[in-house]
């Protein structure tokens, strides 16, 4: 037979449970705008009944099984995967945009226009080889062109340095996130050991994992005890409450990432960190190399033709350009000092009597005609790639086509990055919508719950009052 | 699907953002006037525009060259016109001097006029254009023709230039000579540097001075010179004509190329303005719906 006061106990348990539910709902409402928060639900279960012979099972009220957060961890994994890809493409897009600014094409100020002006000045010189102002124009357009190439090369170098810095910053970010995650692991394990659900701590850890996913690709595995272990490229980063940090080290000219403990190079294949490394070592490096080849090609073909001509001082075999690549190409100093040294003539300008025949501009024209010369890539004597005139039968590309080729590669890469960012953004926001649909706080819903629980609480209290009345009848009004 | 307040806000913000981005892009296009402002806008188009720009610029250079060649040719042509006039006058004098009834003073006066004609022709042969002697071959800075005398005292005109041609480019790989060298025009013997053309006039002058000579003997060589000058003039005229046609071709080519370039990279303002107006309308609609969806919740309807 049930005890006299069992009903009290049932009502009180009911009131307590409804109160917890109200508290949880108000916790949800309070965190409606907290990023990364997932709504929580009090899981109510009926208390174990006791059997009453001949009657059946008698209920004993309600118990709180747990307060659980509502979250789809599979979706978390999907979102992180896409965030990693988004992070990578965002970095690529931003940096490729920057390269597009460094090589402003198509425009009236880009290298292609400087190159065209340079060839045109030789055309003019072929018509007025004896004119010092026209000779000066050739030197000036040559200086503008070499300066343009050097400036672009310097800015690309600067971008390389900037990307090195980004790599450093991202590694610091990874280490900091890893430490925070390890710290939360530690707390979560402790709470779980006591049999509780550390919902808010887990939300915070999930948020950190999202942040980490933006920076780098990783594998996460949740352990029995509630900790999440993280590894990058198969190498552990976080194990329980322990972190193994990354550091940067110079490998050749670039800053690379290695593990602090065993000194191995880290294998990075996604996220902002990978984006920065990939732009720097693949795309940027490619454009730098090609600009170098272009500069050397310009130097070599112009010099070769220039050396065959004669200047107004009766000299031949003189170079026009100097330098080893895009970073230091320049017009020869003696030509800058004395424009009469430009070899515009195809014959000796001083005849046997010492008279000067300055009117021959055939070599200047030969240089101007290099504009339409097909070129191919070859190794020079120092083992660097340069451009050289192709034989009649073979096909090649003109100098401005080599340059246009760089621009076209850049355009395609940049366009791809922009498109990928758009796609990833759409994907991430769609997945986040789904996550929000599952875990987000709906004010309407919570207010409805609050009312619902309030009514239940009131009803429990009412039941208590009725029991109280019944006992009052039983104890005070009977037997007297 | 469960819809939360955050989702509504997020969706509204996302859409507003996307609309603004579109607006910004259209505004950018309209204010710059270019559809392609960087290679990523259209990689293929950007490279084509670069190629077109380069071609147009090169064509302009060739047009410049052709104009310069034409100016040289026309100057040379004018010079040869004057030279022809000089020889016509010389011929008149030769014919006149051949009639035996002239007094020695008259012949002397005529010889004097021929001497002036020689000076005049010298001036023509030493014509200069933009500070350069046009008949000096590659020796553009030295006076090409000057009067001189041989060791035996006989008069000659010598040439200080060469037969160099000023070859300028008018289209890829095609060169045209802008000049006629003095050597070719005035019959200079490359070894002695003496001018045959001038010699004809000098001979006429001598014939007028020497009573034993017949000035009529010069008529044949004067006619030859006139023919020679006329044939050079004809060839200059033909070359000049060719430049004229070349210039026409370049200018029509460039009109075509520029229009292709414009189609590729320029904004169609009417279309852009319309797109902009439409986008703006969408943006306003998004703002209006945003303002409405973000307001109500269950709380608004509870006491």
């Amino acid at each position: 037979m049930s005890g006299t006061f069992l009903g009290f106990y049932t009502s009180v348990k009911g009131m307590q449970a409804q109160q917890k539910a109200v508290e949880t709902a108000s916790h949800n409402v309070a965190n409606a705008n907290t990023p990364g928060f997932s709504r929580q639900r009090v899981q109510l279960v009926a208390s174990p009944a006791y059997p009453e012979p001949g009657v059946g099972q008698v209920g004993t009220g309600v118990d709180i099984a747990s307060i659980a957060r509502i979250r789809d961890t599979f979706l978390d994994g999907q979102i992180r995967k896409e965030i990693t890809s988004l992070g990578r493409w965002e970095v690529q897009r931003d940096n490729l945009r920057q390269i597009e600014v460094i090589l402003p094409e198509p425009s009236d100020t880009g290298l292609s226009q400087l190159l065209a002006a340079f060839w045109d000045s030789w055309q003019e010189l072929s018509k007025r080889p004896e004119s010092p102002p026209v000779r000066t124009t050739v030197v000036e357009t040559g200086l503008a062109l070499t300066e343009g190439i050097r400036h672009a090369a310097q800015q690309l170098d600067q971008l390389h340095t900037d990307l090195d810095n980004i790599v450093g910053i991202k590694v610091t970010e990874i280490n900091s996130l890893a430490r925070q995650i390890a710290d939360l692991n530690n707390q979560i394990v402790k709470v779980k050991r006591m049999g509780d659900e550390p919902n808010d701590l887990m939300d915070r850890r999930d948020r950190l994992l999202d942040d980490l996913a933006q920076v780098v690709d990783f594998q996460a595995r949740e352990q029995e005890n509630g900790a999440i272990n993280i590894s990058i490229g198969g190498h552990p980063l976080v194990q329980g409450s322990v972190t193994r940090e990354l550091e940067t080290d110079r490998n050749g000219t670039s800053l690379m990432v290695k593990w602090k403990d065993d000194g191995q190079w880290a294998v990075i294949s996604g996220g902002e960190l990978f984006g920065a490394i990939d732009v720097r070592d693949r795309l940027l490096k490619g454009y730098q190399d090609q600009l170098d080849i272009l500069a050397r090609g310009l130097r070599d073909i112009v010099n070769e033709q220039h050396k065959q001509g004669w200047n107004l001082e009766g000299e031949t075999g003189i170079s026009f350009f100097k330098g080893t690549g895009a970073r230091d190409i320049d017009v020869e100093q003696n030509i800058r000092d004395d424009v009469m040294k430009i070899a515009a003539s195809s014959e000796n300008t001083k005849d046997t009597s010492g008279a000067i025949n300055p009117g021959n501009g055939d070599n200047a024209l030969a240089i101007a005609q290099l504009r339409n010369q097909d070129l191919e890539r070859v190794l020079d004597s120092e083992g660097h790639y340069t451009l050289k005139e192709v034989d009649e039968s073979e096909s090649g590309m003109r100098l401005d086509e080599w340059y246009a080729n760089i621009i076209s590669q850049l355009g395609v890469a940049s366009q791809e990055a922009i498109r990928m960012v758009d796609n990833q953004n759409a994907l991430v926001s769609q997945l986040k919508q789904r996550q929000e649909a599952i875990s987000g706080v709906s004010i309407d819903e919570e207010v409805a719950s609050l009312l619902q629980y309030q009514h239940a609480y009131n009803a429990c209290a009412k039941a208590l009052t009725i029991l109280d009345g019944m006992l009052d009848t039983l104890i005070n009004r009977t037997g007297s | 699907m469960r819809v939360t307040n955050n989702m509504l806000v997020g969706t509204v913000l996302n859409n507003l953002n996307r609309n603004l981005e579109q607006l910004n892009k259209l505004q950018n296009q309209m204010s710059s006037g270019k559809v392609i402002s960087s290679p990523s806008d259209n990689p293929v188009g950007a490279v084509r525009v670069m190629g077109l720009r380069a071609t147009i610029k090169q064509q302009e250079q060739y047009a410049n060259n052709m104009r310069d060649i034409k100016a040289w040719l026309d100057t040379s042509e004018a010079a040869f016109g004057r030279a022809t006039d000089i020889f016509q006058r010389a011929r008149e004098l030769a014919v006149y001097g051949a009639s035996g009834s002239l007094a020695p003073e008259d012949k002397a006066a005529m010889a004097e006029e021929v001497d002036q004609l020689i000076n005049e022709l010298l001036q023509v042969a030493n014509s200069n254009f933009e500070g350069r002697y046009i008949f000096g071959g590659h020796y553009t800075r030295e006076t090409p023709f000057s009067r001189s005398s041989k060791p035996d005292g006989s008069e000659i005109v010598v040439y200080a230039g060469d037969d160099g041609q000023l070859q300028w480019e008018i289209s890829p790989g095609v060169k045209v000579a802008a000049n006629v060298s003095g050597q070719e025009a005035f019959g200079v013997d490359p070894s002695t540097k003496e001018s045959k053309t001038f010699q004809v006039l000098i001979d006429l002058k001598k014939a007028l001075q020497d009573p034993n000579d017949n000035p009529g003997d010069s008529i044949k060589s004067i006619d030859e010179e006139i023919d020679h000058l006329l044939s050079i003039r004809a060839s200059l005229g033909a070359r000049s004509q060719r430049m004229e046609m070349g210039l026409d071709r370049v200018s029509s080519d460039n009109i075509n190329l520029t229009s292709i370039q414009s189609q590729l990279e320029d904004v169609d303002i009417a279309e852009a303005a319309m797109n902009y107006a439409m986008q703006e309308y969408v943006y306003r609609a998004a703002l209006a719906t945003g303002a409405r969806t973000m307001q109500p919740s269950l709380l608004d309807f509870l006491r």
Side-chain angles (χ1 to χ4, degrees), chain B residues 87 121 185-187 195-202 225 228-229:
Chain B
F87 273 95
L121 187 62
F186 297 100
S195 161
K196 192 177 125 266
T197 307
F198 279 96
Q199 203 56 51
V200 171
L201 293 182
I202 291 167
E225 283 309 317
H228 174 62
L229 289 172

Side-chain angles (χ1 to χ4, degrees), chain B residues 257-279:
Chain B
L257 291 172
T258 312
S259 92
I260 297 172
Q261 185 195 343
S262 166
Q263 272 169 23
L264 278 172
E265 70 168 349
D266 288 349
V267 166
D268 179 345
I269 289 292
E271 193 188 319
M274 202 138 93
N275 285 342
Y276 187 82
M278 206 128 98
Q279 198 59 49

Side-chain angles (χ1 to χ4, degrees), chain B residues 26-95:
Chain B
L26 285 169
Q27 203 161 37
N28 210 345
Q29 286 187 359
M30 279 166 70
S31 56
S32 70
K34 300 272 178 248
V35 190
I36 302 175
S37 52
S38 59
S40 56
D41 290 336
N42 179 353
V44 178
V47 169
R48 277 193 69 193
V49 167
M50 280 171 70
L52 285 167
R53 271 172 196 259
T55 311
I56 291 170
K57 214 157 174 268
Q58 196 177 9
Q59 295 268 30
E60 276 166 7
Q61 181 61 47
Y62 287 137
N64 256 340
N65 292 0
M66 284 190 261
R67 271 190 286 272
D68 285 345
I69 292 175
K70 197 169 155 357
W72 269 69
L73 294 174
D74 292 350
T75 310
S76 307
E77 225 263 33
F80 287 120
R82 278 169 62 204
T84 317
D85 293 346
I86 288 165
F87 273 95
Q88 301 283 16
R89 178 63 190 151
R91 191 176 191 282
E92 281 170 31
L93 291 172
V95 171

Side-chain angles (χ1 to χ4, degrees), chain A residues 428-450:
Chain A
V428 167
S429 86
Q430 201 202 351
L431 287 171
K432 283 202 163 162
Q433 285 271 34
R434 264 168 65 193
Q435 192 184 43
E436 178 69 23
I438 293 166
S439 305
V441 176
S442 158
I443 304 269
D444 292 349
E445 196 179 82
E446 299 301 332
V447 170
S449 303
L450 279 171

